[in-house]
Amino acid sequence: MNTTLHQFRTTAMNTQIELKFATEQGARVRGIARFAEDWFQKTELRFTRFREVSELSRLNQRIGERCMLSDAMLEVLLLAELYRSETGGIFDPCMLGAIETCGYDRSFEQLASRLTAATGTTKLASVTMNTNAAHPQTGVQSAMDIDPGMKSVLLHAPLDLGGIVKAWSVQRLASYMMRKLAVTQGIINAGGDLAVWGAPESDPWLVAIEHPWQQGEDIGVLALCDGAAATSSKLGRRWTIGGNEKHHLLDPRTLQPSRSDVEQCTVTGPDAVTCEIWAKTICILGASEGIERFKNKTKHYEALLFGVDRRVHYCGSRSSFESASKWRGVSIDQAHWRTQT
């Protein structure tokens, strides 16, 4: 790109966050960087389940009581409820009990450190399995009663918003930078949840697609001028309990880590939150059911799936895949074309 790009990195939500942007108001570069860092730090403090003082933790301490919400929390809970409905309950924010029962009861860095210190590997010989803490409801019934007018919620099960907040924070910051901070071009990448804007078609943002089976390598490149992308995987955050390997993508129908035939999924489209939700949903449902539901529930979104059989699937429109070289260097084994309407 010919435009001068300013680069900034920070860490929040257990994620490396990278921001590159261009602005016509050069004097504001440092202020924009400080604003972005403050945004992610405050977002983590509000939504983390690993700090007792967070708003999320306070809500989880008051299960069965109606609680008042901040504007940000209300917005995220309404989005979470929308996507719970859209995915038929496969995305479920009220799975904290189940994920803790599986052993993920602290930040992953602390979990890995504790297990490695105890055993030399990321394994845990045994844990106390609290089945009463697991999500008491499955299917499409909601475990939270939101009153938008009153800005309140009544929870029936504890919340874990890690599956939506990171993408939400990226999309919210990108929108604010475009509308309020006069940032003409930018990319925000929070561990694979990303939003981009302002690049010319002749010189798009290039986003590497992580190779699912060869650590440290890329399997292709996604070229984007405007929009978003997110990748979800069952291969990254893994641990072993009593000889059983676990990962963080739980199937709400079984309250156990998904055993679907999809190991990794990248979704791209206009909105980072939608991309993140559907990448997770497809990983949990598997290729056949996930692709069918994805095609029926989304428009203008595309998905790249990596199966346990090491076959690569693409779901989207033929014209989008073949035009403008959006998916560069990507070799697919099976295409599932979306009918254009």
Side-chain angles (χ1 to χ4, degrees):
M1 294 183 180
N2 297 324
T3 306
T4 300
L5 292 176
H6 306 278
Q7 186 168 316
F8 165 74
R9 290 187 177 91
T10 189
T11 301
M13 299 174 284
N14 299 313
T15 302
Q16 293 292 323
I17 299 169
E18 182 179 24
L19 170 63
K20 295 180 181 179
F21 65 95
T23 177
E24 297 175 356
Q25 303 178 21
R28 300 186 63 188
V29 169
R30 289 185 180 179
I32 291 171
R34 285 195 298 268
F35 179 87
E37 181 173 32
D38 186 59
W39 166 252
F40 284 116
Q41 296 299 330
K42 286 183 177 179
T43 297
E44 177 177 16
L45 183 59
R46 183 182 303 279
F47 292 101
T48 182
R49 65 181 172 98
F50 303 118
R51 298 185 188 181
E52 291 186 1
V53 298
S54 72
E55 183 176 358
L56 179 65
S57 292
R58 290 198 298 269
L59 292 178
N60 284 336
Q61 293 161 8
R62 299 176 62 186
I63 303 296
E65 300 178 34
R66 183 158 292 279
C67 302
M68 304 303 293
L69 303 171
S70 66
D71 289 341
M73 181 64 75
L74 176 62
E75 181 178 333
V76 171
L77 292 189
L78 288 173
L79 277 174
E81 180 64 11
L82 170 66
Y83 287 111
R84 185 199 60 78
S85 177
E86 285 288 301
T87 62
I90 297 303
F91 170 75
D92 189 341
C94 293
M95 291 282 288
L96 179 58
I99 193 67
E100 288 183 338
T101 294
C102 286
Y104 195 175
D105 58 355
R106 62 199 66 199
S107 69
F108 191 75
E109 287 73 14
Q110 292 178 352
L111 177 66
S113 250
R114 182 187 66 171
L115 301 186
T116 301
T119 66
T121 58
T122 308
K123 295 183 179 181
L124 185 61
S126 64
V127 294
T128 301
M129 304 298 279
N130 182 7
T131 55
N132 292 328
H135 187 1
Q137 305 177 69
T138 57
V140 297
Q141 185 176 3
S142 177
M144 56 182 177
D145 177 11
I146 306 170
D147 185 333
M150 188 180 175
K151 291 187 181 180
S152 69
V153 67
L154 189 155
L155 296 178
H156 302 290
L159 284 166
D160 175 10
L161 296 173
I164 188 172
V165 163
K166 189 170 59 171
W168 171 82
S169 65
V170 166
Q171 190 64 54
R172 276 295 243 121
L173 179 60
S175 299
Y176 189 85
M177 290 177 70
M178 283 185 279
R179 292 184 293 104
K180 301 294 186 179
L181 301 182
V183 176
T184 55
Q185 294 181 15
I187 178 170
I188 307 171
N189 186 351
D193 293 351
L194 61 94
V196 306
W197 67 97
E201 290 188 7
S202 59
D203 194 11
W205 297 102
L206 300 179
V207 181
I209 303 169
E210 184 178 359
H211 202 302
W213 306 298
Q214 296 179 23
Q215 189 174 5
E217 296 188 20
D218 302 325
I219 201 168
V221 174
L222 182 59
L224 296 173
C225 297
D226 295 278
T231 295
S232 191
S233 174
K234 298 189 292 189
L235 300 172
R237 298 190 174 189
R238 303 182 74 90
W239 63 97
T240 301
I241 296 178
N244 297 316
E245 194 168 24
K246 305 285 187 178
H247 62 78
H248 71 293
L249 294 181
L250 268 59
D251 187 332
R253 299 167 297 185
T254 65
L255 302 181
Q256 292 296 318
S258 169
R259 295 185 177 181
S260 80
D261 59 354
V262 175
E263 290 189 323
Q264 179 175 302
C265 180
T266 294
V267 174
T268 184
D271 179 79
V273 180
T274 302
C275 291
E276 172 66 9
I277 297 299
W278 281 103
K280 281 181 168 60
T281 297
I282 290 171
C283 281
I284 293 170
L285 285 175
S288 179
E289 188 176 356
I291 288 171
E292 187 65 23
R293 197 171 297 191
F294 177 72
K295 287 197 295 184
N296 289 337
K297 292 293 185 178
T298 67
K299 294 182 179 179
H300 312 300
Y301 286 84
E302 304 167 58
L304 193 68
L305 291 67
F306 302 90
V308 296
D309 57 1
R310 303 211 167 188
R311 288 174 58 83
V312 180
H313 299 251
Y314 167 80
C315 180
S317 69
R318 183 188 294 271
S319 60
S320 181
F321 185 82
E322 295 177 347
S323 67
S325 299
K326 179 186 288 186
W327 301 90
R328 300 184 181 182
V330 175
S331 177
I332 64 170
D333 298 299
Q334 187 172 354
H336 307 264
W337 303 121
R338 174 183 274 120
T339 303
Q340 298 300 297
T341 57

mmCIF file of all heavy atoms in Angstrom, residues 231-267:
data_model
loop_
_atom_site.group_PDB
_atom_site.id
_atom_site.type_symbol
_atom_site.label_atom_id
_atom_site.label_comp_id
_atom_site.label_asym_id
_atom_site.label_seq_id
_atom_site.Cartn_x
_atom_site.Cartn_y
_atom_site.Cartn_z
ATOM 1 N N THR A 231 -11.265 -17.326 12.374
ATOM 2 C CA THR A 231 -10.904 -18.742 12.299
ATOM 3 C C THR A 231 -11.148 -19.388 13.654
ATOM 4 O O THR A 231 -10.787 -18.831 14.695
ATOM 5 C CB THR A 231 -9.431 -18.916 11.896
ATOM 6 O OG1 THR A 231 -9.242 -18.415 10.570
ATOM 7 C CG2 THR A 231 -9.016 -20.380 11.932
ATOM 8 N N SER A 232 -11.762 -20.563 13.634
ATOM 9 C CA SER A 232 -11.951 -21.349 14.842
ATOM 10 C C SER A 232 -11.350 -22.727 14.612
ATOM 11 O O SER A 232 -11.393 -23.253 13.493
ATOM 12 C CB SER A 232 -13.446 -21.470 15.174
ATOM 13 O OG SER A 232 -13.627 -22.008 16.466
ATOM 14 N N SER A 233 -10.779 -23.306 15.665
ATOM 15 C CA SER A 233 -10.071 -24.571 15.497
ATOM 16 C C SER A 233 -10.175 -25.414 16.754
ATOM 17 O O SER A 233 -10.198 -24.888 17.876
ATOM 18 C CB SER A 233 -8.598 -24.303 15.173
ATOM 19 O OG SER A 233 -7.853 -25.507 15.144
ATOM 20 N N LYS A 234 -10.209 -26.720 16.558
ATOM 21 C CA LYS A 234 -10.169 -27.660 17.672
ATOM 22 C C LYS A 234 -8.747 -28.102 17.978
ATOM 23 O O LYS A 234 -8.518 -28.922 18.863
ATOM 24 C CB LYS A 234 -11.038 -28.886 17.358
ATOM 25 C CG LYS A 234 -12.502 -28.559 17.164
ATOM 26 C CD LYS A 234 -13.365 -29.800 17.081
ATOM 27 C CE LYS A 234 -13.110 -30.585 15.827
ATOM 28 N NZ LYS A 234 -14.087 -31.679 15.640
ATOM 29 N N LEU A 235 -7.784 -27.555 17.242
ATOM 30 C CA LEU A 235 -6.405 -28.017 17.347
ATOM 31 C C LEU A 235 -5.558 -27.179 18.298
ATOM 32 O O LEU A 235 -4.490 -27.621 18.722
ATOM 33 C CB LEU A 235 -5.753 -28.011 15.957
ATOM 34 C CG LEU A 235 -6.434 -28.908 14.912
ATOM 35 C CD1 LEU A 235 -5.837 -28.667 13.542
ATOM 36 C CD2 LEU A 235 -6.316 -30.369 15.307
ATOM 37 N N GLY A 236 -5.994 -25.955 18.613
ATOM 38 C CA GLY A 236 -5.156 -25.036 19.373
ATOM 39 C C GLY A 236 -5.192 -25.249 20.873
ATOM 40 O O GLY A 236 -4.217 -25.690 21.477
ATOM 41 N N ARG A 237 -6.306 -24.936 21.500
ATOM 42 C CA ARG A 237 -6.408 -24.994 22.961
ATOM 43 C C ARG A 237 -6.864 -26.382 23.378
ATOM 44 O O ARG A 237 -8.046 -26.672 23.474
ATOM 45 C CB ARG A 237 -7.361 -23.906 23.473
ATOM 46 C CG ARG A 237 -6.861 -22.517 23.144
ATOM 47 C CD ARG A 237 -7.621 -21.427 23.832
ATOM 48 N NE ARG A 237 -7.002 -20.140 23.587
ATOM 49 C CZ ARG A 237 -7.329 -19.011 24.189
ATOM 50 N NH1 ARG A 237 -8.291 -19.022 25.090
ATOM 51 N NH2 ARG A 237 -6.717 -17.882 23.912
ATOM 52 N N ARG A 238 -5.874 -27.253 23.660
ATOM 53 C CA ARG A 238 -6.140 -28.643 24.008
ATOM 54 C C ARG A 238 -5.422 -28.982 25.312
ATOM 55 O O ARG A 238 -4.368 -28.443 25.618
ATOM 56 C CB ARG A 238 -5.670 -29.584 22.892
ATOM 57 C CG ARG A 238 -6.289 -29.282 21.535
ATOM 58 C CD ARG A 238 -5.819 -30.275 20.484
ATOM 59 N NE ARG A 238 -6.457 -31.575 20.656
ATOM 60 C CZ ARG A 238 -7.599 -31.933 20.084
ATOM 61 N NH1 ARG A 238 -8.248 -31.089 19.302
ATOM 62 N NH2 ARG A 238 -8.102 -33.128 20.277
ATOM 63 N N TRP A 239 -6.010 -29.895 26.060
ATOM 64 C CA TRP A 239 -5.400 -30.388 27.284
ATOM 65 C C TRP A 239 -5.910 -31.804 27.511
ATOM 66 O O TRP A 239 -6.850 -32.266 26.850
ATOM 67 C CB TRP A 239 -5.727 -29.479 28.464
ATOM 68 C CG TRP A 239 -7.176 -29.394 28.817
ATOM 69 C CD1 TRP A 239 -7.837 -30.094 29.775
ATOM 70 C CD2 TRP A 239 -8.166 -28.553 28.187
ATOM 71 N NE1 TRP A 239 -9.170 -29.743 29.796
ATOM 72 C CE2 TRP A 239 -9.394 -28.807 28.831
ATOM 73 C CE3 TRP A 239 -8.125 -27.619 27.147
ATOM 74 C CZ2 TRP A 239 -10.569 -28.159 28.466
ATOM 75 C CZ3 TRP A 239 -9.290 -26.972 26.786
ATOM 76 C CH2 TRP A 239 -10.496 -27.234 27.437
ATOM 77 N N THR A 240 -5.270 -32.532 28.420
ATOM 78 C CA THR A 240 -5.624 -33.927 28.670
ATOM 79 C C THR A 240 -5.979 -34.118 30.135
ATOM 80 O O THR A 240 -5.258 -33.651 31.021
ATOM 81 C CB THR A 240 -4.464 -34.864 28.295
ATOM 82 O OG1 THR A 240 -4.152 -34.679 26.912
ATOM 83 C CG2 THR A 240 -4.837 -36.322 28.532
ATOM 84 N N ILE A 241 -7.099 -34.775 30.367
ATOM 85 C CA ILE A 241 -7.545 -35.083 31.730
ATOM 86 C C ILE A 241 -7.763 -36.581 31.842
ATOM 87 O O ILE A 241 -8.581 -37.149 31.106
ATOM 88 C CB ILE A 241 -8.850 -34.335 32.076
ATOM 89 C CG1 ILE A 241 -8.622 -32.828 32.084
ATOM 90 C CG2 ILE A 241 -9.377 -34.792 33.434
ATOM 91 C CD1 ILE A 241 -9.852 -32.030 32.378
ATOM 92 N N GLY A 242 -7.025 -37.228 32.740
ATOM 93 C CA GLY A 242 -7.202 -38.658 32.957
ATOM 94 C C GLY A 242 -7.067 -39.472 31.695
ATOM 95 O O GLY A 242 -7.791 -40.455 31.506
ATOM 96 N N GLY A 243 -6.163 -39.054 30.817
ATOM 97 C CA GLY A 243 -5.943 -39.776 29.568
ATOM 98 C C GLY A 243 -6.884 -39.392 28.445
ATOM 99 O O GLY A 243 -6.749 -39.881 27.323
ATOM 100 N N ASN A 244 -7.857 -38.498 28.707
ATOM 101 C CA ASN A 244 -8.805 -38.060 27.681
ATOM 102 C C ASN A 244 -8.452 -36.659 27.204
ATOM 103 O O ASN A 244 -8.384 -35.724 28.003
ATOM 104 C CB ASN A 244 -10.238 -38.068 28.236
ATOM 105 C CG ASN A 244 -10.689 -39.453 28.623
ATOM 106 O OD1 ASN A 244 -10.466 -40.420 27.896
ATOM 107 N ND2 ASN A 244 -11.321 -39.572 29.792
ATOM 108 N N GLU A 245 -8.238 -36.519 25.903
ATOM 109 C CA GLU A 245 -7.876 -35.215 25.352
ATOM 110 C C GLU A 245 -9.120 -34.338 25.221
ATOM 111 O O GLU A 245 -10.178 -34.797 24.792
ATOM 112 C CB GLU A 245 -7.209 -35.381 23.990
ATOM 113 C CG GLU A 245 -6.518 -34.112 23.518
ATOM 114 C CD GLU A 245 -5.612 -34.353 22.323
ATOM 115 O OE1 GLU A 245 -5.840 -35.327 21.586
ATOM 116 O OE2 GLU A 245 -4.676 -33.557 22.136
ATOM 117 N N LYS A 246 -8.975 -33.068 25.618
ATOM 118 C CA LYS A 246 -10.077 -32.115 25.580
ATOM 119 C C LYS A 246 -9.685 -30.912 24.729
ATOM 120 O O LYS A 246 -8.515 -30.631 24.523
ATOM 121 C CB LYS A 246 -10.408 -31.628 27.003
ATOM 122 C CG LYS A 246 -10.701 -32.728 28.018
ATOM 123 C CD LYS A 246 -12.055 -33.333 27.826
ATOM 124 C CE LYS A 246 -12.382 -34.309 28.955
ATOM 125 N NZ LYS A 246 -13.738 -34.893 28.809
ATOM 126 N N HIS A 247 -10.700 -30.185 24.249
ATOM 127 C CA HIS A 247 -10.484 -28.885 23.613
ATOM 128 C C HIS A 247 -11.640 -27.972 23.989
ATOM 129 O O HIS A 247 -12.611 -28.401 24.614
ATOM 130 C CB HIS A 247 -10.320 -29.024 22.096
ATOM 131 C CG HIS A 247 -11.523 -29.591 21.392
ATOM 132 N ND1 HIS A 247 -12.638 -28.835 21.116
ATOM 133 C CD2 HIS A 247 -11.777 -30.846 20.919
ATOM 134 C CE1 HIS A 247 -13.525 -29.593 20.479
ATOM 135 N NE2 HIS A 247 -13.040 -30.811 20.363
ATOM 136 N N HIS A 248 -11.532 -26.690 23.592
ATOM 137 C CA HIS A 248 -12.440 -25.672 24.143
ATOM 138 C C HIS A 248 -13.747 -25.510 23.385
ATOM 139 O O HIS A 248 -14.601 -24.736 23.807
ATOM 140 C CB HIS A 248 -11.729 -24.319 24.195
ATOM 141 C CG HIS A 248 -11.508 -23.703 22.846
ATOM 142 N ND1 HIS A 248 -10.653 -24.250 21.908
ATOM 143 C CD2 HIS A 248 -12.015 -22.589 22.274
ATOM 144 C CE1 HIS A 248 -10.665 -23.482 20.826
ATOM 145 N NE2 HIS A 248 -11.482 -22.484 21.022
ATOM 146 N N LEU A 249 -13.940 -26.213 22.271
ATOM 147 C CA LEU A 249 -15.191 -26.079 21.511
ATOM 148 C C LEU A 249 -16.171 -27.168 21.952
ATOM 149 O O LEU A 249 -16.161 -28.283 21.441
ATOM 150 C CB LEU A 249 -14.921 -26.171 20.009
ATOM 151 C CG LEU A 249 -14.095 -25.025 19.407
ATOM 152 C CD1 LEU A 249 -13.927 -25.222 17.907
ATOM 153 C CD2 LEU A 249 -14.752 -23.676 19.690
ATOM 154 N N LEU A 250 -17.026 -26.806 22.900
ATOM 155 C CA LEU A 250 -17.966 -27.777 23.454
ATOM 156 C C LEU A 250 -19.255 -27.831 22.640
ATOM 157 O O LEU A 250 -19.768 -26.810 22.198
ATOM 158 C CB LEU A 250 -18.303 -27.415 24.901
ATOM 159 C CG LEU A 250 -17.442 -28.065 25.985
ATOM 160 C CD1 LEU A 250 -15.984 -27.715 25.802
ATOM 161 C CD2 LEU A 250 -17.940 -27.658 27.365
ATOM 162 N N ASP A 251 -19.759 -29.036 22.490
ATOM 163 C CA ASP A 251 -21.051 -29.252 21.851
ATOM 164 C C ASP A 251 -22.124 -29.178 22.947
ATOM 165 O O ASP A 251 -22.121 -30.002 23.867
ATOM 166 C CB ASP A 251 -21.069 -30.627 21.177
ATOM 167 C CG ASP A 251 -22.318 -30.853 20.340
ATOM 168 O OD1 ASP A 251 -23.374 -30.269 20.657
ATOM 169 O OD2 ASP A 251 -22.240 -31.624 19.370
ATOM 170 N N PRO A 252 -23.043 -28.206 22.886
ATOM 171 C CA PRO A 252 -24.043 -28.066 23.951
ATOM 172 C C PRO A 252 -25.000 -29.246 24.036
ATOM 173 O O PRO A 252 -25.689 -29.413 25.045
ATOM 174 C CB PRO A 252 -24.776 -26.774 23.575
ATOM 175 C CG PRO A 252 -24.569 -26.629 22.111
ATOM 176 C CD PRO A 252 -23.203 -27.184 21.839
ATOM 177 N N ARG A 253 -25.027 -30.085 23.010
ATOM 178 C CA ARG A 253 -25.918 -31.247 23.035
ATOM 179 C C ARG A 253 -25.337 -32.375 23.886
ATOM 180 O O ARG A 253 -26.077 -33.248 24.357
ATOM 181 C CB ARG A 253 -26.176 -31.736 21.614
ATOM 182 C CG ARG A 253 -26.852 -30.693 20.728
ATOM 183 C CD ARG A 253 -26.821 -31.075 19.255
ATOM 184 N NE ARG A 253 -25.444 -31.155 18.759
ATOM 185 C CZ ARG A 253 -25.128 -31.367 17.482
ATOM 186 N NH1 ARG A 253 -26.096 -31.522 16.585
ATOM 187 N NH2 ARG A 253 -23.859 -31.430 17.108
ATOM 188 N N THR A 254 -24.016 -32.376 24.069
ATOM 189 C CA THR A 254 -23.356 -33.433 24.840
ATOM 190 C C THR A 254 -22.609 -32.893 26.057
ATOM 191 O O THR A 254 -22.223 -33.672 26.927
ATOM 192 C CB THR A 254 -22.345 -34.173 23.961
ATOM 193 O OG1 THR A 254 -21.296 -33.279 23.574
ATOM 194 C CG2 THR A 254 -23.010 -34.743 22.714
ATOM 195 N N LEU A 255 -22.391 -31.569 26.107
ATOM 196 C CA LEU A 255 -21.588 -30.912 27.135
ATOM 197 C C LEU A 255 -20.143 -31.413 27.128
ATOM 198 O O LEU A 255 -19.446 -31.331 28.148
ATOM 199 C CB LEU A 255 -22.202 -31.093 28.529
ATOM 200 C CG LEU A 255 -23.632 -30.583 28.704
ATOM 201 C CD1 LEU A 255 -24.105 -30.808 30.141
ATOM 202 C CD2 LEU A 255 -23.743 -29.114 28.337
ATOM 203 N N GLN A 256 -19.693 -31.902 25.988
ATOM 204 C CA GLN A 256 -18.340 -32.396 25.824
ATOM 205 C C GLN A 256 -17.702 -31.742 24.597
ATOM 206 O O GLN A 256 -18.408 -31.231 23.719
ATOM 207 C CB GLN A 256 -18.343 -33.916 25.643
ATOM 208 C CG GLN A 256 -18.761 -34.700 26.880
ATOM 209 C CD GLN A 256 -17.787 -34.531 28.036
ATOM 210 O OE1 GLN A 256 -16.570 -34.548 27.852
ATOM 211 N NE2 GLN A 256 -18.326 -34.347 29.240
ATOM 212 N N PRO A 257 -16.366 -31.746 24.516
ATOM 213 C CA PRO A 257 -15.711 -31.219 23.319
ATOM 214 C C PRO A 257 -16.238 -31.889 22.053
ATOM 215 O O PRO A 257 -16.453 -33.105 22.025
ATOM 216 C CB PRO A 257 -14.234 -31.547 23.552
ATOM 217 C CG PRO A 257 -14.093 -31.537 25.043
ATOM 218 C CD PRO A 257 -15.390 -32.123 25.558
ATOM 219 N N SER A 258 -16.472 -31.090 21.033
ATOM 220 C CA SER A 258 -17.031 -31.601 19.786
ATOM 221 C C SER A 258 -16.138 -32.670 19.171
ATOM 222 O O SER A 258 -14.909 -32.548 19.154
ATOM 223 C CB SER A 258 -17.200 -30.455 18.786
ATOM 224 O OG SER A 258 -17.490 -30.951 17.501
ATOM 225 N N ARG A 259 -16.779 -33.700 18.633
ATOM 226 C CA ARG A 259 -16.063 -34.761 17.915
ATOM 227 C C ARG A 259 -16.453 -34.766 16.443
ATOM 228 O O ARG A 259 -16.470 -35.810 15.787
ATOM 229 C CB ARG A 259 -16.357 -36.115 18.546
ATOM 230 C CG ARG A 259 -15.828 -36.249 19.975
ATOM 231 C CD ARG A 259 -16.040 -37.646 20.517
ATOM 232 N NE ARG A 259 -15.483 -37.798 21.857
ATOM 233 C CZ ARG A 259 -15.512 -38.936 22.551
ATOM 234 N NH1 ARG A 259 -16.085 -40.015 22.032
ATOM 235 N NH2 ARG A 259 -14.976 -38.985 23.756
ATOM 236 N N SER A 260 -16.753 -33.607 15.906
ATOM 237 C CA SER A 260 -17.180 -33.520 14.513
ATOM 238 C C SER A 260 -16.016 -33.807 13.569
ATOM 239 O O SER A 260 -14.867 -33.947 13.992
ATOM 240 C CB SER A 260 -17.742 -32.125 14.216
ATOM 241 O OG SER A 260 -16.681 -31.208 13.998
ATOM 242 N N ASP A 261 -16.332 -33.858 12.279
ATOM 243 C CA ASP A 261 -15.311 -34.154 11.270
ATOM 244 C C ASP A 261 -14.633 -32.892 10.739
ATOM 245 O O ASP A 261 -13.920 -32.953 9.737
ATOM 246 C CB ASP A 261 -15.923 -34.939 10.110
ATOM 247 C CG ASP A 261 -17.059 -34.194 9.411
ATOM 248 O OD1 ASP A 261 -17.458 -33.110 9.894
ATOM 249 O OD2 ASP A 261 -17.557 -34.698 8.384
ATOM 250 N N VAL A 262 -14.833 -31.737 11.402
ATOM 251 C CA VAL A 262 -14.169 -30.486 11.013
ATOM 252 C C VAL A 262 -13.177 -30.100 12.101
ATOM 253 O O VAL A 262 -13.546 -29.976 13.265
ATOM 254 C CB VAL A 262 -15.183 -29.352 10.798
ATOM 255 C CG1 VAL A 262 -14.464 -28.026 10.525
ATOM 256 C CG2 VAL A 262 -16.107 -29.683 9.636
ATOM 257 N N GLU A 263 -11.910 -29.920 11.709
ATOM 258 C CA GLU A 263 -10.879 -29.542 12.679
ATOM 259 C C GLU A 263 -10.671 -28.037 12.749
ATOM 260 O O GLU A 263 -10.326 -27.498 13.802
ATOM 261 C CB GLU A 263 -9.558 -30.223 12.321
ATOM 262 C CG GLU A 263 -9.579 -31.713 12.563
ATOM 263 C CD GLU A 263 -8.216 -32.341 12.425
ATOM 264 O OE1 GLU A 263 -7.436 -31.914 11.555
ATOM 265 O OE2 GLU A 263 -7.942 -33.283 13.195
ATOM 266 N N GLN A 264 -10.857 -27.344 11.628
ATOM 267 C CA GLN A 264 -10.627 -25.900 11.590
ATOM 268 C C GLN A 264 -11.537 -25.292 10.542
ATOM 269 O O GLN A 264 -11.833 -25.922 9.526
ATOM 270 C CB GLN A 264 -9.159 -25.617 11.252
ATOM 271 C CG GLN A 264 -8.800 -24.130 11.155
ATOM 272 C CD GLN A 264 -7.308 -23.920 10.936
ATOM 273 O OE1 GLN A 264 -6.497 -24.364 11.741
ATOM 274 N NE2 GLN A 264 -6.945 -23.252 9.853
ATOM 275 N N CYS A 265 -11.968 -24.051 10.791
ATOM 276 C CA CYS A 265 -12.844 -23.370 9.842
ATOM 277 C C CYS A 265 -12.543 -21.879 9.845
ATOM 278 O O CYS A 265 -12.424 -21.269 10.909
ATOM 279 C CB CYS A 265 -14.312 -23.617 10.199
ATOM 280 S SG CYS A 265 -15.487 -22.794 9.074
ATOM 281 N N THR A 266 -12.431 -21.308 8.649
ATOM 282 C CA THR A 266 -12.291 -19.864 8.477
ATOM 283 C C THR A 266 -13.528 -19.346 7.755
ATOM 284 O O THR A 266 -13.919 -19.893 6.727
ATOM 285 C CB THR A 266 -11.037 -19.517 7.655
ATOM 286 O OG1 THR A 266 -9.872 -19.897 8.393
ATOM 287 C CG2 THR A 266 -10.971 -18.017 7.370
ATOM 288 N N VAL A 267 -14.145 -18.312 8.311
ATOM 289 C CA VAL A 267 -15.319 -17.692 7.696
ATOM 290 C C VAL A 267 -14.988 -16.237 7.414
ATOM 291 O O VAL A 267 -14.369 -15.554 8.241
ATOM 292 C CB VAL A 267 -16.560 -17.788 8.615
ATOM 293 C CG1 VAL A 267 -17.736 -17.000 8.031
ATOM 294 C CG2 VAL A 267 -16.954 -19.250 8.811
#
